[in-house]
Amino acid sequence: MADTDLASSTEQQFPPTESALPPTNDIETETALTVAAGGDNAETALVEAADGQKKTKKIIRRKRRPARPQIDPATIKSEPPPQTGTTFNIWYNKWSGGDREDSLLSKHAAPSRCNVAKDSGYTRADKVPGSYFCLFFARGICHKGHECEYLHRLPTLHDLFNPNVDCFGRDKFSDYRDDMGGVGSFMRQNRTLYVGRIHVTDDIEEVVSRHFAEWGQIERIRVLTSRGVAFVTYSNVANAEFGKEAMAHQSLDHSEILNVRWATVDPNPLAQKREARRLEEQAAEAVRRALPAEFVAELEGKDPEARKRKKIEGSFGLQGYDAPDEVWYTRTKQLEDAGKAGAGQLEAPDQSLMIEAAATEPAQEFPTQESTGGGIFSSSTVAALRGLSGGNVTTKPAPQASGPLVGYGSDDDSD
């Protein structure tokens, strides 16, 4: 009933006109009218067909769903962590000393696993810019749901953090641990994970790719089938950090318990060249974003007309002069700041040159009477020249010597 009233009101407000319709065209033209239809996130759009009739269609836009609690809060027990070291640190509430990645502890399976398709959603952290991701959500044991103060979703390329912390907000260190576990180091951007204890099958590479692709885009996977080891490289550092925590002590298609750690530097020369090339491309992309699009297109040769225009306009009125890039773009920037961009050919600034100094000085006319000063022409000669040229001849007195005459030496001893 509400949709019918809304449709009738919109028809009265916008009556159909024959002139606005295409003559013979079956393509429907949508008019720029969108009317909110209530608090249930529904919208009604008015569509104008070729036959002049108005049609209304209801567009329902659902909001993002809230994050789902991954475990029941009632099952959480406030117990001290299991002993993994020799000394219990009451400040950090964990054991210190000893190997935290010993053979017995790392063989305990994780209690739960994150399901991104079902567990992700909005939380309180979505309203706070620069929020970190939930570590317990990555491990699949967060019980707060939409009331969590951290993000419950996968990292993207737009999620940028300080290099001194990871995507969960934990501080990094200057060097890796001896077992290559933990948070990691801020001295190197490590995007590669070491995955051990994999059950060896014929399709081991496909299995590893399917499970680890859940946490972000994978750039490269290398599998050592004989050892049951794989190296997974993500395109983004944040996805590698998220995937390391999400797959720790998990299993693939079998009942194995994975050993996920940070990978060391690949000694392969080809891998080192590939990493250096990636860093160069990343730096070049940063430069492209900082420079104007026209400048980048000209440097990369994508705009040949700009190069021709620069060759013509960059001469600054001097034939055969090719201005450097710094002079060209500095002058262009000055014109843009002054509001003269696009006014035409770039011109050199007005400057007084040494050659033009004598011509710019005002000419002085000598009186017609005889001058007693030492001029080059006499007054009678000047008067005669004026009569021949119509009175447009001007003269300038010879410069007076400001100091004593200097005698230049010669072969004669009398000098």
Side-chain angles (χ1 to χ4, degrees):
M1 186 62 182
D3 296 341
T4 306
D5 297 340
L6 182 60
S8 60
S9 62
T10 53
E11 290 181 3
Q12 294 176 3
Q13 186 177 359
F14 297 91
T17 57
E18 295 295 337
S19 60
L21 299 177
T24 55
N25 193 356
D26 296 334
I27 301 177
E28 297 184 353
T29 305
E30 295 188 2
T31 59
L33 176 64
T34 304
V35 184
D40 56 347
N41 254 2
E43 293 184 358
T44 303
L46 183 62
V47 180
E48 185 178 358
D51 54 358
Q53 297 180 357
K54 304 291 182 178
K55 297 181 181 180
T56 58
K57 60 180 180 180
K58 193 173 183 181
I59 303 175
I60 300 177
R61 295 181 179 178
R62 293 183 173 87
K63 295 182 179 179
R64 290 182 57 192
R65 63 182 180 185
R68 187 187 71 166
Q70 295 173 312
I71 60 174
D72 188 5
T75 60
I76 299 178
K77 299 180 181 179
S78 179
E79 296 180 354
Q83 182 175 357
T84 58
T86 57
T87 305
F88 183 75
N89 193 323
I90 60 176
W91 180 263
Y92 293 100
N93 194 28
K94 62 182 181 180
W95 291 91
S96 61
D99 190 2
R100 286 171 288 181
E101 292 289 342
D102 56 83
S103 58
L104 297 178
L105 176 64
S106 58
K107 289 185 179 180
H108 291 288
S112 179
R113 178 171 175 172
C114 177
N115 190 340
V116 179
K118 297 181 179 180
D119 299 338
S120 61
Y122 70 86
T123 60
R124 294 180 179 178
D126 290 327
K127 300 180 181 179
V128 181
S131 298
Y132 297 105
F133 291 87
C134 182
L135 177 62
F136 299 99
F137 166 75
R139 296 176 178 176
I141 55 175
C142 184
H143 65 280
K144 295 184 178 181
H146 66 280
E147 297 181 356
C148 186
E149 302 293 337
Y150 296 90
L151 298 174
H152 280 210
R153 59 175 177 84
L154 289 179
T156 60
L157 295 176
H158 304 285
D159 298 318
L160 303 178
F161 304 101
N162 194 313
N164 296 333
V165 297
D166 63 352
C167 65
F168 304 106
R170 301 178 299 181
D171 293 332
K172 294 183 180 179
F173 302 94
S174 60
D175 198 1
Y176 289 94
R177 286 176 13 184
D178 294 339
D179 56 2
M180 297 301 293
V183 181
S185 172
F186 57 79
M187 299 297 293
R188 181 170 65 97
Q189 285 190 355
N190 198 345
R191 300 177 294 115
T192 305
L193 300 179
Y194 164 86
V195 185
R197 300 201 194 100
I198 304 177
H199 183 77
V200 179
T201 56
D202 296 336
D203 57 346
I204 180 174
E205 186 172 355
E206 187 272 332
V207 172
V208 173
S209 176
R210 173 163 44 86
H211 282 269
F212 279 86
E214 298 179 8
W215 321 114
Q217 183 180 0
I218 294 179
E219 180 179 311
R220 184 176 63 259
I221 292 181
R222 182 186 177 190
V223 179
L224 305 179
T225 308
S226 59
R227 299 183 180 181
V229 172
F231 295 92
V232 182
T233 303
Y234 285 90
S235 301
N236 190 15
V237 178
N239 294 104
E241 297 168 351
F242 193 95
K244 177 181 178 299
E245 296 296 337
M247 294 301 296
H249 303 167
Q250 298 289 344
S251 61
L252 302 181
D253 291 349
H254 302 82
S255 58
E256 72 271 32
I257 300 177
L258 299 180
N259 180 21
V260 183
R261 305 183 185 184
W262 292 111
T264 56
V265 179
D266 194 349
N268 188 358
L270 296 179
Q272 295 179 359
K273 292 182 180 179
R274 183 170 55 248
E275 183 67 15
R277 184 168 59 253
R278 186 191 68 84
L279 294 178
E280 292 178 358
E281 294 177 355
Q282 186 177 1
E285 183 64 23
V287 172
R288 291 190 191 98
R289 294 179 181 179
L291 295 177
E294 297 81 3
F295 188 23
V296 175
E298 181 181 348
L299 290 179
E300 295 179 351
K302 298 180 181 179
D303 191 4
E305 297 296 332
R307 186 174 295 276
K308 295 179 181 178
R309 183 172 61 254
K310 175 189 173 183
K311 186 175 181 180
I312 297 175
E313 300 178 358
S315 59
F316 292 92
L318 302 177
Q319 186 177 2
Y321 174 69
D322 189 8
D325 294 339
E326 295 80 3
V327 177
W328 165 259
Y329 287 104
T330 302
R331 181 58 177 167
T332 306
K333 184 63 176 177
Q334 292 177 356
L335 293 180
E336 291 178 355
D337 295 341
K340 299 180 181 179
Q345 180 177 353
L346 297 179
E347 298 179 357
D350 297 334
Q351 298 178 357
S352 59
L353 304 180
M354 296 293 295
I355 302 178
E356 302 174 356
T360 56
E361 295 182 2
Q364 299 180 0
E365 295 184 0
F366 281 92
T368 56
Q369 64 270 17
E370 291 286 337
S371 62
T372 58
I376 300 178
F377 299 103
S378 63
S379 59
S380 58
T381 306
V382 172
L385 292 175
R386 284 178 181 172
L388 294 175
S389 60
N392 296 328
V393 177
T394 58
T395 59
K396 184 178 180 181
Q400 298 292 338
S402 59
L405 296 178
V406 179
Y408 294 93
S410 63
D411 295 337
D412 192 1
D413 296 338
S414 62
D415 293 341

